[in-house]
Amino acid sequence: MDEGIVTGEGVLLDTRPTSFASRFLASLIDVAALAVAGLAVVILVAQTPLSLTSTGARILSVVLIAVVTVVLPTTVETATRGRSLGKLAMGIRIVRDDGGPVRFRQAFIRALVGVGELWLTVGSVALICSIVHPQGKRVGDVLAGTYAIRLRGRAPTRAAIDMPPQLAAWAHSADVRRLPDGLALSVRQFLGRTSTLHPASRVQLGTDLATQVARYVAPLPPAGTHPEYFLAAVLAERRDREHAAALRSEQRAAAESAMLARLPHAVPDPVD
C-alpha cells in the first residue's frame, strides 16, 4: 500500500516520496549553488581591507563555513517551505511526516545534521541511508521528521462518496471514531472499484470491511443494512465532520484575530 496522508473520506493524498535519483540531482544543484555562494562570500571577504590575526582568521573561517553549510540552507528552506533551488528544479518539496510544510526547526535540524552526513562524509552517509530507508530519507530527515515528495504529476481523480439517504439520520447521531488510515483507504478503494469486482468477491470483501469498520461505530446501523451502504455512510460522515471541524477552526481563528486587533480596556475602535 502506498504511504501518505489519508483524509477523512479515505482518500490518499498524493504525497509519494520522491525517487533517490531526483533527490540526488537536487542535492547536486543545491551543493553547486552553495559552492557559488561560498566562493562569492570568500571573494567579498578577501577584498575587504581587514588585518586579522591567525586566530581571527580561523574564527572568520569557521563563521563562513557555518553560514554556507547551516545558515543559508536553513534560511532558504524555511523561506521557501522546503523548496531549495535544486528541489524547485526537480519538482520536489521537503514536508513534515504529517504532510505539512517544514518550519525553522525542521530546516535547522536538516542543515545541522547535513554538515556531518553531507559535507564531512561527502554524502556517503546520506547516500546509504536514502537507499535503505523505504521513504528515501537521509539521517537529517529521520531526526527532523521530514521527507521529500513529488509535486509533479496529478493524482487520479476519484468520485466523492455520497451519503446513502436511508442512513443519513443514523450517521449524524452515531459515534464514529477515527478509522485507522489503512482501513479507511481500503474502504475507499473498495467503494471506488465495486463495479469491477466479481460478485462473490464483492460480497465477501464488503462484508469483511464492514465487520472491521463496525468496531469503530456505535450504535450499529439498522439490521439488514447493506455493507456497502454502511461503509459509504461512515466515510461520508467522517468527511462531513472533518469539514465542519475545519470550518469551526477557521472561524475561531478569525474571531481571535479580530479580538487581538481591538484596543484594550474597552476603548472603542477609532472611526475611519
Side-chain angles (χ1 to χ4, degrees):
M1 182 181 296
D2 293 335
E3 296 189 21
I5 310 302
V6 181
T7 66
E9 198 184 350
V11 177
L12 181 69
L13 300 182
D14 190 16
T15 56
R16 294 166 293 175
T18 188
S19 65
F20 168 75
S22 298
R23 292 201 64 174
F24 180 72
L25 292 176
S27 298
L28 288 181
I29 296 174
D30 288 337
V31 169
L34 288 174
V36 172
L39 181 61
V41 171
V42 171
I43 293 175
L44 181 62
V45 172
Q47 293 178 348
T48 303
L50 295 175
S51 56
L52 297 175
T53 63
S54 59
T55 302
R58 286 195 295 269
I59 294 175
L60 181 59
S61 300
V62 172
V63 171
L64 292 179
I65 293 175
V67 168
V68 173
T69 60
V70 178
V71 176
L72 280 179
T74 300
T75 303
V76 170
E77 204 161 87
T78 303
T80 61
R81 300 295 182 89
R83 301 202 72 185
S84 61
L85 182 61
K87 296 175 182 62
L88 181 64
M90 298 306 300
I92 62 181
R93 180 194 295 273
I94 300 298
V95 297
R96 302 194 306 264
D97 285 340
D98 62 359
V102 294
R103 305 294 185 186
F104 170 79
R105 180 176 65 85
Q106 289 88 12
F108 178 72
I109 293 175
R110 281 171 43 80
L112 191 62
V113 177
V115 174
E117 67 166 329
L118 296 176
W119 297 98
L120 297 182
T121 63
V122 199
S124 59
V125 174
L127 174 64
I128 295 173
C129 186
S130 298
I131 294 176
V132 173
H133 198 279
Q135 288 183 304
K137 291 187 176 187
R138 61 179 180 87
V139 179
D141 289 317
V142 174
L143 297 179
T146 59
Y147 69 108
I149 62 171
R150 290 176 285 184
L151 295 180
R152 293 173 182 169
R154 185 172 300 176
T157 303
R158 296 181 175 89
I161 299 295
D162 295 326
M163 171 67 72
Q166 68 273 26
L167 295 180
W170 164 81
H172 294 337
S173 60
D175 178 15
V176 182
R177 291 186 291 158
R178 176 176 175 81
L179 303 180
D181 288 345
L183 177 58
L185 182 58
S186 297
V187 173
R188 183 62 176 83
Q189 292 176 338
F190 165 73
L191 293 176
R193 61 188 181 94
T194 51
S195 59
T196 65
L197 297 175
H198 185 276
S201 299
R202 177 175 177 175
V203 172
Q204 180 179 359
L205 183 55
T207 302
D208 291 342
L209 289 173
T211 302
Q212 297 179 53
V213 172
R215 304 170 186 169
Y216 302 90
V217 179
L220 294 178
T225 298
H226 195 284
E228 292 179 18
Y229 290 156
F230 168 59
L231 296 174
V234 171
L235 289 193
E237 183 63 22
R238 289 186 65 231
R239 174 199 61 207
D240 295 342
R241 292 185 184 183
E242 288 191 357
H243 179 65
L247 289 180
R248 289 194 299 269
S249 178
E250 291 179 2
Q251 294 171 355
R252 184 166 55 253
E256 292 176 353
S257 177
M259 184 178 298
L260 291 174
R262 294 183 61 85
L263 294 175
H265 307 301
V267 177
D269 291 334
V271 179
D272 294 334

